[in-house]
Amino acid sequence: MSETRRKLTTIFCADVQDYSRLMGADEEGTLATLKQYRDAMARLIASHGGRVVNTWGDGLIAEFPSVVEAVRSAVDVQSELAGLNAGLPSAARMFFRIGINLGDVIAEGNDIYGDGVNIAARLQASAPAGGVVISNTVYDQVRNKVAVGFDFLGQLEVKNIEGGVPSYAVRIGAGEDRAAPTADPVFGRQAQPLQPAAAAPIRRHSRAYMVLAMVAAGVVAINLLSWRGEFWAVWPLFGIGLAAALLWIRTSRVDRGFATLAVAGLAIVTINLLSWSGEFWARWPLLGLAIAAAIRWVMRGRGSVGR
């Protein structure tokens, strides 16, 4: 039996959108196209330092020692396959969906298993035809290192992963038609083109900020209308401001660890000033937060080098 071990790796998962429809329309032609596209994909994966782990049906799993090269490989794959599709009739075009995750896996021989692989497969299943979706662990490593844009898609629900996995769509080129070809509905659901952003989460977050703003205005109004010489609304406003800051951390693309430490520091200073008794005691908690931020910076730098 092969020895099993754990390792951190970048998992690249791909499959064909509407494969059953393609096979139903032209079995031999679809298999020939699949082989051609898989060969191109394997060549590009190898050129970026990755290796194909397994293939089955219309699917493929690969792994990369470099997160950046995995994303570059996915972009190159989709770009080359788009060029190959341009030479085919619209009904015969084959579109792959790709998901990429950086995670801990169990390696046995040449195969890999575990939640890291499952997450990559779930990301792939959520990708549009001709698109690439990555996890937040991948995004944190590549956001400033590859010449593409990203759209935050929100929390992707994954079995056995509490709270889901934040995911991002990779923007590849502009003006390319990546939708599946028009066909008789009997062949199955049609693929949808990649949307530029997740509009629903953005609307929800905007509404949350508006609610917080209205609550703050209401608190101030009550304080002023019942004025007794004390502006007690400062403490509820502090709580509302803290809630808004935490919401911003959750929904923005900043490093959540550093942002949380920064918000904690501002909160401590604010509490010290609002309850001022002649001593700036916040200096000691701020020192602890600064040390925590420095340790996180060093560990993050080592993690990036290791990957």
Side-chain angles (χ1 to χ4, degrees):
M1 293 181 64
S2 300
E3 180 184 357
T4 62
R5 66 189 189 282
R6 284 194 171 275
K7 66 176 181 178
L8 185 68
T9 191
T10 309
I11 307 102
F12 173 114
C13 188
D15 83 344
V16 178
Q17 174 78 34
D18 280 348
Y19 183 67
S20 297
R21 177 186 64 78
L22 292 168
M23 287 291 285
D26 181 1
E27 211 171 64
E28 292 184 0
T30 296
L31 289 175
T33 301
L34 178 62
K35 183 180 185 306
Q36 179 189 9
Y37 285 23
R38 263 201 189 146
D39 288 345
M41 194 178 299
R43 170 174 49 79
L44 290 169
I45 288 171
S47 71
H48 285 276
R51 74 174 184 94
V52 175
V53 175
N54 202 353
T55 60
W56 73 98
D58 61 320
L60 176 148
I61 289 182
E63 68 168 337
F64 292 78
S66 166
V67 191
V68 172
E69 291 303 320
V71 174
R72 287 175 175 167
S73 173
V75 172
D76 286 351
V77 164
Q78 296 294 32
S79 296
E80 180 159 329
L81 297 189
L84 293 175
N85 275 329
L88 293 177
S90 60
R93 291 175 182 172
M94 184 174 289
F95 296 88
F96 276 81
R97 304 174 297 187
I98 298 176
I100 304 176
N101 178 48
L102 170 64
D104 189 75
V105 300
I106 299 173
E108 182 178 11
N110 291 325
D111 289 328
I112 55 177
Y113 309 91
D115 284 340
V117 179
N118 295 338
I119 291 172
R122 183 69 180 88
L123 293 166
Q124 165 262 303
S126 71
V132 180
V133 173
I134 63 176
S135 65
N136 62 317
T137 55
V138 173
Y139 172 77
D140 288 342
Q141 298 298 318
V142 305
R143 56 183 173 180
N144 297 320
K145 299 173 185 175
V146 291
V148 294
F150 302 93
D151 294 316
F152 182 56
L153 301 178
Q155 302 288 124
L156 180 68
E157 294 300 322
V158 179
K159 186 178 180 181
N160 298 328
I161 304 297
E162 185 177 354
V165 176
S167 59
Y168 296 80
V170 179
R171 290 199 298 267
I172 304 174
E176 296 179 10
D177 180 11
R178 298 185 185 276
T182 302
D184 192 317
V186 72
F187 292 121
R189 180 177 59 86
Q190 299 304 304
Q192 298 300 319
L194 181 63
Q195 299 300 319
I202 292 175
R203 287 195 296 269
R204 286 198 300 270
H205 301 150
S206 298
R207 286 197 295 268
Y209 286 122
M210 290 177 62
V211 169
L212 290 174
M214 288 187 290
V215 170
V219 169
V220 172
I222 293 171
N223 193 166
L224 295 178
L225 291 174
S226 60
W227 184 255
R228 294 295 184 270
E230 179 188 2
F231 188 62
W232 52 259
V234 66
W235 291 108
L237 290 177
F238 168 71
I240 293 169
L242 186 59
L246 294 176
L247 177 62
W248 173 76
I249 291 174
R250 181 183 175 187
T251 59
S252 68
R253 298 176 184 178
V254 298
D255 184 287
R256 295 188 180 183
F258 287 119
T260 301
L261 290 172
V263 169
L266 289 172
I268 290 169
V269 172
T270 302
I271 292 172
N272 193 166
L273 295 177
L274 292 177
S275 60
W276 183 256
S277 59
E279 180 187 1
F280 187 63
W281 51 260
R283 63 184 181 277
W284 298 113
L286 288 177
L287 176 61
L289 291 173
I291 293 173
I295 292 173
R296 179 177 175 81
W297 179 268
V298 172
M299 296 304 295
R300 181 179 178 183
R302 287 181 179 177
S304 299
V305 171
R307 293 182 183 108

